[in-house]
Amino acid sequence: MWATMPRTCTRVFGAVLLLCTALEHCTAFLVPPAPASSFAASAKSVHRCAARPTPEVRVGGLCRARGTRGRAGVAWAMQAQLQTYLTQTDDYSDISQAASFFVESFWERGTTLGEVSLDAGQRATILRAQQDDMEGRYGRLTGKRKLSSTLIIARDDAGAIAGIAGIEIAVVNRNSLEVLPRAAGEAALSSAIASLPARERQVMRAQELPAVAAAVLPPAFGIIPVLANLAVRSDARGAGLGQLLVLSCEACAREWGLSEVMLLVEAGNAPALRLYTSLGYQEVWTREVESARPPSPGAAEMAAASVLTSALVKAI
């Protein structure tokens, strides 16, 4: 299904892949094709939710067009005990607040690790790593970017963050589902397009991203939206906010012209797995994956552990 690449383009892309293998943010997966019938069923389910939202979950008007900046869009979640508004952002001040929120709601009081007591040094190390990661995924870039990404933040009536989730278009190996970091993916597409003859470059500039990626990336590579950094404040859980954030990310992926979303979740995180499977995500594999863990007291770097992890994919 992928178009053949010019030889010069293949050499450039290969150089980018060599660079990527040296980066710690690459993650490997394996996703076999899913039955068409299950994909169609998932897509219909999402369409019904978006077209006729229930009183519990309302999604709409959240995603801005590619190339715009700052905060944009509002969606309301109306529940018996929780009222929040959602915005999407690439603003570094918002990302800094979101990183601090994520440390508290994921690392200290999350459903993955449970209650974790961190000293000031451990918290500072995690916060620094989390902010660097989120800025790399969702932060504003100079110039027009090809791979869209956004951080969605839910705030309560007082303006406090109640939940967050992020979604980014990533360049992915279709066979192994190895995800290139955002910078490497941008460089791969830009270099591949720049290597084309002038007339072909002009044609590419008029095409939508999925068509461009299919034409210039090597046959084994494609693009897919990746959902990450989902966290809900402990006192806001159970009100449907996690579902709203996931559906909002899926709405962004559809507006970007893409038809599936993937994510990773640790196999021991039962609440998250229940949420994703209830929304139609399908397990592709479950295996040991190296995952970040809180640093030891006094350590300057994050720790790592081999953790049983599931890769989930959904057609939208």
Side-chain angles (χ1 to χ4, degrees):
M1 63 183 290
W2 305 105
T4 303
M5 258 182 67
R7 186 174 302 172
T8 55
C9 189
T10 305
R11 287 199 296 269
V12 171
F13 193 83
V16 174
L17 289 183
L18 289 176
L19 173 64
C20 176
T21 58
L23 300 175
E24 296 180 351
H25 298 294
C26 289
T27 309
F29 317 84
L30 180 61
V31 177
S37 59
S38 65
F39 273 44
S42 298
K44 290 178 182 178
S45 174
V46 174
H47 176 73
R48 285 197 300 272
C49 182
R52 296 190 294 276
T54 68
E56 289 75 29
V57 179
R58 299 181 182 181
V59 179
L62 190 62
C63 289
R64 59 178 180 270
R66 288 196 301 273
T68 59
R69 295 179 173 180
R71 303 176 183 88
V74 175
W76 286 90
M78 305 293 292
Q79 291 108 1
Q81 298 178 338
L82 178 66
Q83 179 171 306
T84 62
Y85 67 94
L86 271 61
T87 59
Q88 70 174 84
T89 185
D90 59 5
D91 182 82
Y92 284 96
S93 176
D94 289 337
I95 291 173
S96 178
Q97 295 177 42
S100 182
F101 169 84
F102 197 78
V103 171
E104 178 180 344
S105 298
F106 178 86
W107 290 101
E108 295 182 309
R109 297 182 180 88
T111 58
T112 298
L113 303 177
E115 295 283 337
V116 177
S117 178
L118 302 173
D119 63 32
Q122 290 173 301
R123 199 178 197 282
T125 297
I126 295 174
L127 179 59
R128 183 172 60 253
Q130 197 64 63
Q131 187 160 339
D132 288 346
D133 177 71
M134 287 186 173
E135 288 179 353
R137 289 175 183 264
Y138 315 117
R140 185 177 303 166
L141 297 178
T142 302
K144 187 176 180 180
R145 61 192 181 192
K146 295 177 175 61
L147 300 176
S148 298
S149 69
T150 193
L151 180 65
I152 298 173
I153 300 179
R155 297 183 185 271
D156 59 24
D157 283 340
I161 296 179
I164 65 172
I167 188 160
E168 58 178 328
I169 302 176
V171 176
V172 179
N173 185 312
R174 284 284 186 178
N175 297 322
S176 67
L177 269 192
E178 181 184 11
V179 179
L180 274 66
R182 181 179 176 187
E186 288 279 354
L189 279 172
S190 297
S191 299
I193 294 170
S195 69
L196 296 174
R199 182 173 294 183
E200 291 184 38
R201 286 200 306 272
Q202 191 66 26
V203 172
M204 287 296 106
R205 291 192 181 100
Q207 300 296 317
E208 294 295 324
L209 178 62
V212 172
V216 305
L217 294 179
F221 286 81
I223 55 173
I224 186 172
V226 178
L227 190 154
N229 299 122
L230 175 64
V232 175
R233 198 173 66 206
S234 58
D235 64 349
R237 293 170 190 161
L241 183 54
Q243 181 183 12
L244 176 66
L245 287 164
V246 173
L247 292 175
S248 298
C249 287
E250 293 175 3
C252 287
R254 285 195 299 275
E255 291 197 21
W256 292 336
L258 297 166
S259 59
E260 56 186 349
V261 174
M262 63 170 290
L263 60 88
L264 285 181
V265 59
E266 293 188 9
N269 190 346
L273 280 169
R274 284 197 298 271
L275 169 64
Y276 296 135
T277 55
S278 73
L279 292 174
Y281 284 82
Q282 299 178 354
E283 178 185 338
V284 177
W285 54 249
T286 297
R287 66 185 186 213
E288 297 286 331
V289 171
E290 187 174 88
S291 299
R293 284 295 183 264
S296 302
E301 301 292 338
M302 297 289 290
S306 183
V307 180
L308 196 63
T309 302
S310 296
L312 307 180
V313 175
K314 177 183 177 180
I316 56 174

